[in-house]
Amino acid sequence: MSADAAVSVVDARLCTSAQPSPEQLAGIGDTGVRHVINLAMADSDAAVADEGARLAAQGINYLHLPVPWERPQAAHFLLFAQVLYAMREDTVLVHCACNMRASAFVFLYRVIYESVPLAEAAGVLHAVWRPEGVWRDFLLVQLAERGIDYEAVA
C-alpha cells in the first residue's frame, strides 16, 4: 500500500489501517497480504462496495465483520479473535473506516491472545488514537474480565 494509506505496521504479519481507497486496494496484492478483515459498517463514508471482489481478483481472502461504532460488543471481538487466530500464519490487514476499531481490536487480541505486554501493545494503539467514551469503556471491560488493568497505560 502507498505511504498515504495510513497503515500501522503492528508486526511482520499484521497491520491495521483506515479504509483503503480503490487505488490502494488494487495494490494490496503486491504487499504480501493474504487476508483482509474489514470492521467498518457497509455504509461507512469511504466504503468500497466491491472491496471483496477487488481483493478476490488478487487472490486475497476478504472478510467483512462490521462493528457498530457506537456499540462494540464482546461477541464482535470474540468472532474477530477466532478469525484472526485462524489466519495467524499469514499476513493480515485489519481495517475499518478510520483505523480506530481496527487498532483497538488488534490491541485487545495481542494483549489477550498473544500475551504481548500491555505497555508495548498500548504504544501501537496510542500511535493511532487514545480511545475515549464507549471505546475506552469497551477496552476496560474486555481487559478487566481477564484481570488486566488498562488504566495503567490509558
Side-chain angles (χ1 to χ4, degrees):
M1 295 176 64
S2 65
D4 62 337
V7 174
S8 176
V9 177
V10 177
D11 61 33
R13 63 164 190 76
L14 185 59
C15 55
T16 66
S17 78
Q19 172 66 57
S21 68
E23 296 77 23
Q24 291 163 338
L25 287 171
I28 288 180
D30 297 333
T31 67
V33 167
R34 301 265 323 268
H35 306 280
V36 172
I37 302 172
N38 178 1
L39 301 178
M41 302 304 289
D43 61 355
S44 293
D45 289 342
V48 178
D50 62 347
E51 179 174 356
R54 289 171 185 257
L55 293 170
Q58 300 173 66
I60 299 170
N61 180 42
Y62 172 77
L63 189 57
H64 188 204
L65 302 175
V67 177
W69 175 252
E70 305 83 10
R71 292 182 322 279
Q73 301 292 317
H76 297 129
F77 173 67
L78 292 174
L79 177 58
F80 168 80
Q82 291 170 343
V83 168
L84 191 57
Y85 181 80
M87 298 172 174
R88 70 191 176 281
E89 300 298 325
D90 295 324
T91 304
V92 180
L93 167 65
V94 181
H95 82 76
C96 59
C98 299
N99 199 11
M100 296 168 114
R101 282 172 269 227
S103 59
F105 271 35
V106 166
F107 162 76
L108 285 175
Y109 180 85
R110 294 179 72 220
V111 171
I112 294 168
Y113 295 101
E114 294 184 337
S115 300
V116 171
L118 184 64
E120 179 183 332
V124 176
L125 172 66
H126 295 160
V128 176
W129 74 306
R130 288 195 175 264
E132 299 175 349
V134 67
W135 280 91
R136 187 173 190 280
D137 295 344
F138 178 73
L139 296 180
L140 285 168
V141 168
Q142 294 306 305
L143 293 172
E145 287 177 354
R146 293 156 176 94
I148 302 168
D149 181 16
Y150 178 64
E151 294 286 359
V153 296

